[in-house]
Amino acid sequence: MTQLLSDEQVDHYHRDGYLVIPDFASAAACTELREAAEAIVDEFVPSAQRTVFTTDEQVRVSNDEFLASGSGIWCFFEQGAFDGDGRLTTSKALGINKIGHAMHDLHPVFRRFSYTADLAAVATDIGMVDPLALQSMYIFKQPHIGGEVSCHQDATFLYTDPITVTGFWFAIEDATLDNGCLWAAPGGHRTSLRTLFKRAGAPASGTKFDVLDSTALPRPPDDLVPLEVPAGTMVVLHGLLPHWSDVNRSPRSRHAYSLHCIDAAADYPSSNWLQRPPDRPLNRLAAA
Ligand code: FE2
């Protein structure tokens, strides 16, 4: 396969644990993705259970929706989008936090965007041997209410042995300090995995965090550097790299698309929250 990254870019990725690639996606591709995401939200009907009244029931329904979303397309609301009676406190379009987690396989626009020769080349250039597309998210980071994503390592949520998860994050709109851009801890991928997010076992609807190493993650914002990037930029993130994004306090949204990939040869444990049914296997990164 043709090398797409320069040797300097590959070195940068291995040294810092991330790589910023400007102009990876065209303006037209970004617009097409944004419109497809907005159409998914437009057609989305929140589940009837949303109208149940107790907080406990809301949590249980949210958890079930989350665990089922690994092989489907689901819209997740911002925390606080519902009041105590289960009623939306904002418009549906402005209450959605993200869409996940399999539109890269189930939606033609996202599939075309995700399975390209260029992305497969980048994955190979940074050392992935046989990259499989595991999980996709479209993140809205809504004006004024788009929530913080606390400092984390992606391998906590998408674990393989050895660790191979790699994030490909695309700015669909400009990401700035004001609207909650990504922040990363340079070199932090050369430290241990701190926690592991797992299915808690029977009954299958529960999840839990196991602490593997109690060393604190870098503390935002001082221990991280901001990645302010224009729309069309791709940021590649090593699965052990601590990263964070702040609340969006601006009047502008900060849409992003992310695709997480793993290597086919690594072991993917059954305790991972994301499980695909046997009739929906993962697909290799390659031209669609
Ligand atoms: Fe992440």
Side-chain angles (χ1 to χ4, degrees):
M1 186 175 289
T2 318
Q3 183 164 341
L4 192 136
L5 299 179
S6 68
D7 291 345
E8 290 73 26
Q9 285 176 305
V10 174
D11 289 347
H12 185 292
Y13 175 78
H14 290 301
R15 184 187 69 228
D16 290 345
Y18 67 91
L19 179 65
V20 176
I21 307 174
D23 299 319
F24 187 85
S26 70
C30 291
T31 299
E32 191 182 30
L33 223 62
R34 192 177 68 234
E35 289 176 352
E38 287 168 349
I40 290 171
V41 171
D42 204 38
E43 290 163 16
F44 178 68
V45 180
S47 66
Q49 298 99 310
R50 277 291 183 196
T51 57
V52 296
F53 296 152
T54 69
T55 306
D56 280 356
E57 189 69 0
Q58 294 267 0
V59 169
R60 191 188 64 72
V61 170
S62 298
N63 208 26
D64 288 349
E65 289 171 352
F66 170 69
L67 289 176
S69 69
S71 58
I73 299 178
W74 195 260
C75 295
F76 297 89
F77 287 92
E78 285 287 349
Q79 253 179 2
F82 293 92
D83 65 18
D85 293 333
R87 283 187 294 258
L88 266 173
T89 57
T90 179
S91 71
K92 185 178 67 170
L94 283 178
I96 300 290
N97 168 288
K98 68 178 178 184
I99 308 171
H101 287 99
M103 57 270 201
H104 60 289
D105 283 330
L106 299 178
H107 191 290
V109 171
F110 286 92
R111 192 163 56 226
R112 259 200 315 279
F113 189 93
S114 305
Y115 292 98
T116 66
D118 281 357
L119 187 56
V122 169
T124 304
D125 289 350
I126 60 167
M128 298 191 83
V129 178
D130 196 359
L132 304 177
L134 173 65
Q135 183 225 51
S136 50
M137 291 190 284
Y138 191 93
I139 304 146
F140 290 88
K141 205 76 157 177
Q142 304 282 10
H144 303 298
I145 63 163
E148 174 184 2
V149 178
S150 60
C151 191
H152 67 279
Q153 299 165 297
D154 288 338
T156 288
F157 300 97
L158 300 169
Y159 180 77
T160 62
D161 184 13
I163 289 167
T164 59
V165 64
T166 305
F168 300 95
W169 185 98
F170 304 87
I172 303 303
E173 299 179 307
D174 296 348
T176 66
L177 286 174
D178 285 345
N179 70 1
C181 68
L182 277 180
W183 294 61
H189 64 304
R190 286 184 262 109
T191 63
S192 59
L193 181 62
R194 309 309 202 279
T195 55
L196 195 52
F197 180 73
K198 304 163 74 170
R199 288 182 183 246
S205 63
T207 55
K208 63 174 182 176
F209 284 93
D210 282 356
V211 176
L212 306 180
D213 179 344
S214 57
T215 307
L217 283 170
R219 196 174 329 183
D222 293 350
D223 297 344
L224 300 100
V225 297
L227 306 178
E228 291 189 281
V229 296
T233 302
M234 176 167 79
V235 181
V236 187
L237 298 160
H238 188 286
L240 282 172
L241 183 78
H243 56 286
W244 169 75
S245 72
D246 201 356
V247 174
N248 180 1
R249 297 185 175 85
S250 83
R252 283 164 294 101
S253 56
R254 193 228 64 188
H255 290 199
Y257 175 62
S258 80
L259 182 69
H260 285 96
C261 297
I262 56 172
D263 237 314
D267 179 54
Y268 189 83
S270 59
S271 55
N272 271 351
W273 74 267
L274 195 164
Q275 299 294 331
R276 301 249 296 212
D279 63 344
R280 206 168 275 171
L282 301 181
N283 295 303
R284 290 186 162 70
L285 281 190

